[in-house]
Amino acid sequence: MYPWLRKEWLNLLEVARAGRLGHAWLLLGDEGLGKEQLADALAQRHLCQQHIDDQACGHCHACQLFSKGNHPDLGRIGVEGKSIGIDPVREICRRLGESAQLGRGKVVIIEGAERMTEAAANALLKTLEEPAGDSLILLLASQSSRLLPTILSRCNKHLCPIPPESVTLRWLEEQGISATPSQVRICRGAPLRVRQYLEEGGDAQRRELLSSLCRLPEEPSRLAALASSINGDLERHLQWLQLLLADALKVQAGCPAAQLNMPDLADPVGELARQCSTERLLDAQQGLLAIREHCQPGQLTNPMIHLHQWLCRWL
């Protein structure tokens, strides 16, 4: 178990020991926190044939099948594509209605539950209202606001908080990864996201993309290429752009470089703060928020259109 999740697991285990686990849980928390580990621990405990101290033993036939990913009474829907359609949800609900093959109940894990289409969410709702037998449904989500209120009302909820920077930095160091507090903040504090960001060379990508934006008024012919780059990883790149604008506003307010989210870009940020009025920076921030809203997974919209419009206003 990741160190920042140990307390969360003990809290959930206490609920389970008290017999108050119920049949449906929503595990909330930012992407990159490893909520999947909590879901797996709950699922394995539920399916284990011989608990030790009320936790999964790790040795019985059910635990062995679980560790190999072959447990017949475990269903899982992963995050694939932009949305979760009705067919996989219907199939997993159908399997919940069948008898457990190993006699210890059944478990369903749905990752990225907020990506369910409305039809998929409604298909799940009936199962949440009338769970079959000794079943446990675990939903993982990072944005509860995108789940139907009826889904939220039928689930117990557990929030996984962002760990302190010191915990994240220490864990990364133990993994052989050198990181700075700034890099942790860029990744919104989620340890697994920081690791992925650094391993994939995200720092260099960020500097290149944001520098390209700052140079755009002098190189307007690069607008289409820049929009395509931003769209390549829309969620992450929009967040970088928001941090850039926030830093420019900090500079205008007189904050020193040490207080910036991205002090390694202090020079281009300072130039941006000199070239743009506060009103223009705030307007650009609002534009990014609108793009994020319009381009949520599952919505039928073309992000490139919104990005082109935003960049044209930037020029």
Side-chain angles (χ1 to χ4, degrees), residues 97-313:
E98 299 174 347
S99 298
Q101 294 189 35
L102 296 187
R104 289 291 302 177
K106 301 177 80 69
V107 178
V108 161
I109 299 174
I110 301 180
E111 301 174 14
E114 71 267 40
R115 296 174 183 261
M116 286 189 293
T117 63
E118 185 173 353
N122 284 323
L124 177 65
L125 185 59
K126 184 176 181 181
T127 300
L128 286 174
E129 292 171 340
E130 302 174 4
D134 188 16
S135 58
L136 179 62
I137 301 172
L138 301 171
L139 307 181
L140 280 64
S142 57
Q143 299 180 52
S144 61
S145 61
R146 290 173 51 201
L147 286 165
L148 292 179
T150 45
I151 295 285
L152 292 172
S153 66
R154 285 161 177 79
C155 293
N156 295 301
K157 302 170 190 66
H158 185 85
L159 176 63
C160 302
I162 295 290
E165 278 187 5
S166 58
V167 172
T168 298
L169 290 168
R170 183 167 57 251
W171 178 78
L172 289 168
E173 185 178 0
E174 292 170 353
Q175 310 304 306
I177 299 173
S178 177
T180 66
S182 176
Q183 290 165 338
V184 174
R185 290 193 291 271
I186 288 167
C187 297
R188 301 199 300 276
L192 302 184
R193 189 159 50 213
V194 181
R195 182 176 67 180
Q196 181 181 13
Y197 170 78
L198 293 173
E199 290 179 343
E200 294 179 350
D203 240 20
Q205 297 171 19
R206 173 183 56 87
R207 286 193 294 269
E208 175 57 30
L209 184 141
L210 298 181
S211 296
S212 295
L213 177 70
C214 293
R215 296 194 307 266
L216 189 60
E218 288 75 43
E219 302 175 357
S221 61
R222 292 188 52 80
L223 187 147
L226 180 56
S228 180
S229 295
I230 296 171
N231 191 45
D233 190 346
L234 188 62
E235 179 68 21
R236 181 162 72 163
H237 293 166
L238 286 180
Q239 191 243 343
W240 291 351
L241 293 171
Q242 288 177 315
L243 288 176
L244 178 77
L245 296 175
D247 277 353
L249 287 166
K250 285 184 177 182
V251 170
Q252 289 185 344
C255 295
Q259 294 182 14
L260 300 181
N261 294 298
M262 300 182 291
D264 59 332
L265 293 178
D267 289 342
V269 165
E271 186 64 25
L272 191 64
R274 287 188 291 273
Q275 291 178 351
C276 300
S277 66
T278 299
E279 291 74 16
R280 186 183 178 196
L281 292 173
L282 291 172
D283 180 68
Q285 277 193 330
Q286 289 300 315
L288 291 176
L289 290 173
I291 293 174
R292 189 186 293 273
E293 182 65 27
H294 288 309
C295 301
Q296 294 286 357
Q299 296 196 21
L300 300 177
T301 186
N302 186 345
M304 288 293 288
I305 294 176
H306 297 287
L307 288 171
H308 270 272
Q309 291 175 343
W310 185 82
L311 289 170
C312 285
R313 289 200 302 273

Side-chain angles (χ1 to χ4, degrees), residues 59-74:
H59 305 294
C60 67
H61 182 51
C63 284
Q64 290 177 358
L65 289 174
F66 188 96
S67 65
K68 295 176 181 177
N70 297 324
H71 200 295
D73 297 324
L74 172 65

